[in-house]
Amino acid sequence: MWEIYLILSALLLILTVFPKIPSPHWVFRFPDFGKIQITYFTIITFVLGFIIEKTEYFWYLQGLLLAMIVYHGVVLIKYTPLYKVKKNPQTDKSSKKYHFISANIYQFNTDYEKFISLINKNKPEIFLTMESNGDWENALQVLEKDYPYQHKVTLENTYGMHFYSKMKIEDSKTHYFVADDIPSIEAHLRTDDGFEFVFFGVHPPPPSPTEEETSKERDGDILSVAKRVTEIKKPVIVVGDFNNVAWSKSSILFRKTSHLIDPRVGHAFVSTFHAKYKLFRFPIDLMFHSEDIFIKDLKTLENFGSDHLPVYCEFFIDHYKHDQEERIEQADSEEIAEAEEIIEEGKKEDGDRDAVATED
């Protein structure tokens, strides 16, 4: 039992320390994803320590485990209701409540009807699909009578993206910030009650042993979005499969350089991947918004056959409420310079992706 306790303690220490090492290699970035699970296992190991035979190193290891629990807890508690943030009710100057769904549909998922039923059941004003290819585009044509405005980026490399809206799209464009096969969508929308906002859909590649060796393209892509957001003078929502977690260094840098707010703070993790394994689920489908956007609800919906759960959001716009200004963090000059360097590194990185992906 002592050997198991010792091995677990050593492994948990490694997984805690690795993300602090400033290397983009996936080995050092991947433990960020499992911070919730690492915390649970650290607590279990700490409790286990009290039921095994004590040695001369016991209290040192218990102290180390306790320190790790506190370290992870300080970060994670911000993404729970225990971390209090001010609630913001609508006023007579606010827009109506609007809703969107963001879903990585998993390109090889062919249960089209289940996703269409999800949209028809929840009736969002806008929705975004990621990993959507030509087959998915054809299947979703039945929704176009209800969603007459669209922006489509049809790819077969698992990075296709489709945006559907009941609101008028006044302008839209596809960005390829760091690679010519990794798109982002920028859509300028006008609501029926006269409010304007910009919706960004993003899906950068993940650092992993089976995809990109480093996080350079991912981080360069999302920080390019952050840079673009600062040029826009309208309310902004950025949504998508970030292949990242909100507490990672690059996500924090994104938030600071974009001047956007993370609605998970004071709310919930909203974990989305993997849809089939609840205990090993990571919150990698993220959302950020500007101070004029107020979130009423943010949650996951039921599984429709993908490896990701869809994200559902209810929000309103208000130009006269300034309660959220204090939640915006500003990047300093060093952080801005670091973001620029990461963007350039992302552009230089040559991702090894096939034009047409096949299911393993």
Side-chain angles (χ1 to χ4, degrees):
M1 185 68 79
W2 167 257
E3 289 78 10
I4 294 173
Y5 169 76
L6 193 61
I7 291 169
L8 284 174
S9 299
L11 179 60
L12 291 165
L13 177 62
I14 290 169
L15 293 173
T16 298
V17 170
F18 266 27
K20 305 300 292 183
I21 297 173
S23 168
H25 195 280
W26 71 265
V27 169
F28 300 101
R29 304 279 58 84
F30 194 74
D32 265 334
F33 291 80
K35 183 178 281 289
I36 299 170
Q37 289 77 14
I38 290 168
T39 305
Y40 289 153
F41 277 109
T42 305
I43 293 170
I44 291 168
T45 305
F46 179 76
V47 173
L48 177 67
F50 288 106
I51 61 174
I52 65 172
E53 185 178 350
K54 309 297 186 295
T55 73
E56 58 182 308
Y57 302 108
F58 170 76
W59 289 111
Y60 294 105
L61 287 172
Q62 287 293 85
L64 179 63
L65 289 169
L66 182 60
M68 288 192 287
I69 292 169
V70 172
Y71 167 72
H72 291 302
V74 167
V75 174
L76 294 179
I77 198 171
K78 294 180 181 178
Y79 302 92
T80 73
L82 296 175
Y83 189 86
K84 298 299 181 183
V85 295
K86 186 175 181 180
K87 305 299 181 184
N88 292 283
Q90 285 177 276
T91 70
D92 56 359
K93 295 181 179 179
S94 306
S95 74
K96 296 187 295 185
K97 287 186 289 187
Y98 291 99
H99 313 80
F100 72 76
I101 287 176
S102 169
N104 182 324
I105 49 83
Y106 182 59
Q107 181 173 300
F108 307 103
N109 171 24
T110 58
D111 201 346
Y112 310 119
E113 286 301 322
K114 202 166 184 180
F115 180 74
I116 291 167
S117 296
L118 181 87
I119 296 298
N120 287 329
K121 174 185 174 182
N122 291 279
K123 296 180 170 55
E125 284 76 19
I126 53 181
F127 71 91
L128 173 75
T129 62
M130 292 155 285
E131 292 201 25
S132 39
N133 61 357
D135 291 338
W136 270 92
E137 181 178 317
N138 293 334
L140 295 178
Q141 284 181 359
V142 298
L143 294 171
E144 292 184 7
K145 64 182 184 298
D146 295 322
Y147 295 87
Y149 305 100
Q150 305 113 30
H151 186 104
K152 303 174 181 179
V153 188
T154 309
L155 298 172
E156 302 294 332
N157 65 349
T158 72
Y159 289 95
M161 190 177 290
H162 291 68
F163 178 67
Y164 296 83
S165 177
K166 294 180 180 181
M167 305 175 190
K168 183 180 180 182
I169 298 178
E170 297 196 314
D171 184 30
S172 64
K173 61 187 72 175
T174 305
H175 294 284
Y176 295 91
F177 287 117
V178 299
D180 60 7
D181 59 348
I182 301 294
S184 297
I185 291 176
E186 175 186 337
H188 293 245
L189 304 168
R190 178 182 288 274
T191 69
D192 292 339
D193 48 353
F195 287 81
E196 295 181 338
F197 71 100
V198 180
F199 185 96
F200 265 94
V202 303
H203 183 204
S208 79
T210 58
E211 296 198 47
E212 300 307 309
E213 185 176 326
T214 74
S215 64
K216 288 182 179 180
E217 278 191 306
R218 180 198 70 183
D219 297 343
D221 192 66
I222 63 174
L223 289 170
S224 295
V225 173
K227 185 176 180 180
R228 170 62 185 147
V229 164
T230 59
E231 300 168 355
I232 297 172
K233 304 307 177 185
K234 302 175 186 176
V236 176
I237 294 173
V238 182
V239 177
D241 176 4
F242 275 64
N243 279 310
N244 205 356
V245 285
W247 47 79
S248 75
K249 182 180 178 181
S250 55
S251 282
I252 293 169
L253 192 58
F254 169 86
R255 192 178 72 236
K256 287 184 174 183
T257 54
S258 65
H259 308 154
L260 298 181
I261 296 165
D262 183 352
R264 281 171 165 76
V265 173
H267 179 63
F269 296 127
V270 194
S271 298
T272 55
F273 177 87
H274 196 286
K276 293 181 180 178
Y277 310 114
K278 187 173 183 179
L279 294 178
F280 295 94
R281 193 174 289 167
F282 309 141
I284 64 175
D285 292 85
L286 304 182
M287 175 198 175
F288 299 88
H289 62 89
S290 57
E291 61 186 278
D292 288 345
I293 303 286
F294 294 84
I295 307 304
K296 296 291 289 183
D297 193 16
L298 183 67
K299 62 184 180 182
T300 56
L301 298 176
E302 64 270 21
N303 187 9
F304 59 90
S306 174
D307 52 354
H308 288 245
L309 295 176
V311 174
Y312 173 89
C313 179
E314 180 179 78
F315 68 96
F316 66 89
I317 305 169
D318 194 320
H319 300 298
Y320 298 95
K321 292 175 69 67
H322 305 292
D323 298 346
Q324 295 190 126
E325 286 183 352
E326 62 189 33
R327 296 182 64 184
I328 296 174
E329 295 182 65
Q330 301 282 348
D332 58 31
S333 58
E334 289 185 8
E335 289 170 324
I336 293 171
E338 182 182 7
E340 289 289 346
E341 183 179 345
I342 291 171
I343 290 170
E344 292 307 312
E345 288 180 355
K347 291 177 179 178
K348 293 175 184 177
E349 191 75 0
D350 185 17
D352 184 19
R353 288 176 293 273
D354 295 327
V356 178
T358 57
E359 186 172 16
D360 295 334

